[in-house]
Amino acid sequence: MMSKQTTSTTHPILLFDGLCNLCNAFVQFTIRMDSEAIFRFASLQSEVGRQLLRDFHLPLEDLKSVVLIHQDKAYTHSDAPLEAARRLGGWWILLYGFKIVPQFLRDSVYNWIARNRYRWFGKEESCWLPTPDLQKRFL
């Protein structure tokens, strides 16, 4: 079991829907671009993911967002991928410039995609499992 104190580490934690093909693609993209291996990952369906959701008072069911947890803060909806891009560094930090778009507009687009993600990108029957060399980055 992971406590809120554990989330104070220097590693940002990305919680994702393990059944969603779009979410899995986002995680795999983040792994490829994360040259310093700073990110840690957990599915929303896992015990660790569910405990972190409880710790940050986020819904356990029907959460239509990836969640980025870093330094005792939880970022959801459009803020989560923007914060992830910022932490990836390099050219990806330029995506963080979308923070100037009002949050209600960013979240409206994010929520529209989230509502349609299974229809557009598909859904797995079970959570994606990392390769043995990536398992140490999954909680």
Side-chain angles (χ1 to χ4, degrees):
M1 187 179 295
M2 180 176 236
S3 69
K4 193 169 181 179
Q5 182 179 14
T6 308
T7 64
S8 297
T9 67
T10 58
H11 296 286
I13 301 168
L14 188 61
L15 302 179
F16 64 99
D17 179 350
L19 303 177
C20 170
N21 287 338
L22 177 61
C23 302
N24 287 323
F26 177 62
V27 167
Q28 291 172 26
F29 169 82
T30 303
I31 289 168
R32 281 192 314 274
M33 297 301 121
D34 184 14
S35 60
E36 296 181 25
I38 62 167
F39 283 90
R40 299 297 177 259
F41 305 92
S43 76
L44 293 166
Q45 294 87 353
S46 70
E47 185 51 44
V48 170
R50 294 177 67 74
Q51 183 59 51
L52 287 168
L53 292 174
R54 281 190 286 274
D55 288 349
F56 286 92
H57 310 289
L58 294 169
L60 295 176
E61 304 301 324
D62 203 34
L63 180 67
K64 291 181 175 72
S65 177
V66 295
V67 179
L68 180 71
I69 297 172
H70 191 239
Q71 297 179 341
D72 290 329
K73 267 186 113 171
Y75 301 92
T76 62
H77 299 86
S78 64
D79 283 337
L82 293 178
E83 290 291 334
R86 186 173 83 151
R87 284 167 177 76
L88 282 174
W91 292 100
W92 298 111
I93 200 166
L94 296 176
L95 291 175
Y96 190 71
F98 280 103
K99 284 287 272 195
I100 66 169
V101 175
Q103 186 171 10
F104 80 93
L105 291 174
R106 287 186 283 118
D107 283 352
S108 293
V109 172
Y110 186 97
N111 291 334
W112 177 63
I113 294 168
R115 277 191 310 274
N116 293 290
R117 71 190 188 276
Y118 292 147
R119 186 173 14 164
W120 294 343
F121 302 98
K123 181 177 179 179
E124 295 296 323
E125 294 298 318
S126 59
C127 289
W128 172 73
L129 294 175
T131 61
D133 58 319
L134 288 177
Q135 282 183 349
K136 64 182 178 274
R137 296 183 62 193
F138 282 75
L139 307 174

